[in-house]
Amino acid sequence: MRIITWNINSLRLRMPTLAKISEKLAPDLICLQEIKVEDSLFPEKDIKTLGYKHVLYRGMKSYNGVAIISKVPLTGEKKRLWCNKDDCRHIAASLPNGVEINNFYVPAGGDVPDPVENDKFAHKLTFLTEMAKWFSTQKPANRILVGDLNVAPLETDVWSHKQLLKIVSHTPIEVAGLKKAMRSHDWIDAVRKIIPPEEHLYSWWSYRNRTWPGTNRGRRLDHIWVTPGLIEKVYDAKVFIEARGWDKPSDHAPVLIDIKI
DNA sequence: ATGGTGGAAGGTCCA
């Protein structure tokens, strides 16, 4: 199975790009974030035309929103509130083989890395804490977690570890929060199993850096984790960087794994 | 330190 996670930054605007990615990469299942469309306007028919007959989504007007689009059936849809907000940052479902897919869009956290001064940063930290708590209560199972987690945990997940230490997405407190969430369910970073942690790897490049890709000032904000029973089944992983260079790109590139399940 | 660009809006807010 080929599984993709992609922060699409507007599903409706990016339908042609989604079609192109679908054609080039032939995924079985795609988890999308920042679809930015309320459920009543979700382009379900167009998505099904692309071959994804099984579609789950949870969207709102203008902001956030997640979807799972799949060629294989999805059952047991899970939804819940995070940080007591109904802001469409998580959706989960099970595959026919029982593997559960979780799709997350963690709050970006604003600009100031101080939870006292900046409510958005506080929200992000609380969200990561809730992820850890929730997963610690879930029974062991074969699970995959993907999404825009808005944290670049490794030094090699950013273009300059030193220069980004005080930049939201790479501050020590966020990295600690993300690592705690990982430990809460023995999650394993499937992408880093394939692409060694020593190698620099990014999935996001700001729209504000007009020199892309020359200076390559990226960050790895998009992740794919699996539970221990699945890690040996992961046989490939990559960031489809090419898509960041296409016309009207999302600022995130798709991230994928190939897994024998 | 600042501002740079893009999306959904049709104000600004958010990334």
Side-chain angles (χ1 to χ4, degrees), chain A residues 132-185:
Chain A
K133 273 190 202 156
W134 190 60
F135 279 115
S136 68
T137 67
Q138 301 290 295
K139 286 180 196 156
N142 286 329
R143 294 193 167 89
I144 299 174
L145 183 156
V146 312
D148 176 3
L149 306 184
N150 266 316
V151 180
L154 306 180
E155 294 192 11
T156 50
D157 289 339
V158 292
W159 62 276
S160 166
H161 168 60
K162 227 174 155 178
Q163 285 176 259
L164 287 170
L165 272 170
K166 291 180 178 171
I167 302 297
V168 171
S169 73
H170 194 59
T171 64
I173 191 167
E174 295 164 79
V175 171
L178 191 77
K179 286 185 174 167
K180 195 170 175 191
M182 270 189 109
R183 283 195 306 270
S184 73
H185 204 62

Side-chain angles (χ1 to χ4, degrees), chain A residues 103-231:
Chain A
N103 180 13
F104 278 96
Y105 175 51
V106 173
D111 288 329
V112 181
D114 179 342
V116 179
E117 272 183 56
N118 174 7
D119 290 344
K120 288 186 238 172
F121 195 71
H123 180 209
K124 183 179 197 173
L125 296 180
T126 307
F127 195 101
L128 291 169
T129 304
E130 270 195 33
M131 280 173 77
K133 273 190 202 156
W134 190 60
F135 279 115
S136 68
T137 67
Q138 301 290 295
K139 286 180 196 156
N142 286 329
R143 294 193 167 89
I144 299 174
L145 183 156
V146 312
D148 176 3
L149 306 184
N150 266 316
V151 180
L154 306 180
E155 294 192 11
T156 50
D157 289 339
V158 292
W159 62 276
S160 166
H161 168 60
K162 227 174 155 178
Q163 285 176 259
L164 287 170
L165 272 170
K166 291 180 178 171
I167 302 297
V168 171
S169 73
H170 194 59
T171 64
I173 191 167
E174 295 164 79
V175 171
L178 191 77
K179 286 185 174 167
K180 195 170 175 191
M182 270 189 109
R183 283 195 306 270
S184 73
H185 204 62
D186 298 329
W187 291 110
I188 300 167
D189 186 331
V191 174
R192 282 306 195 181
K193 188 225 170 193
I194 302 294
I195 302 166
E198 294 75 30
E199 234 174 85
H200 279 259
L201 184 67
Y202 317 131
S203 64
W204 174 87
W205 296 262
S206 172
Y207 284 129
R208 296 176 196 180
N209 183 355
R210 277 180 294 177
T211 59
W212 190 92
T215 52
N216 197 22
R217 293 189 171 187
R219 306 177 202 168
R220 188 171 71 108
L221 305 180
D222 304 277
H223 299 273
I224 303 180
W225 298 348
V226 301
T227 47
L230 296 179
I231 190 64

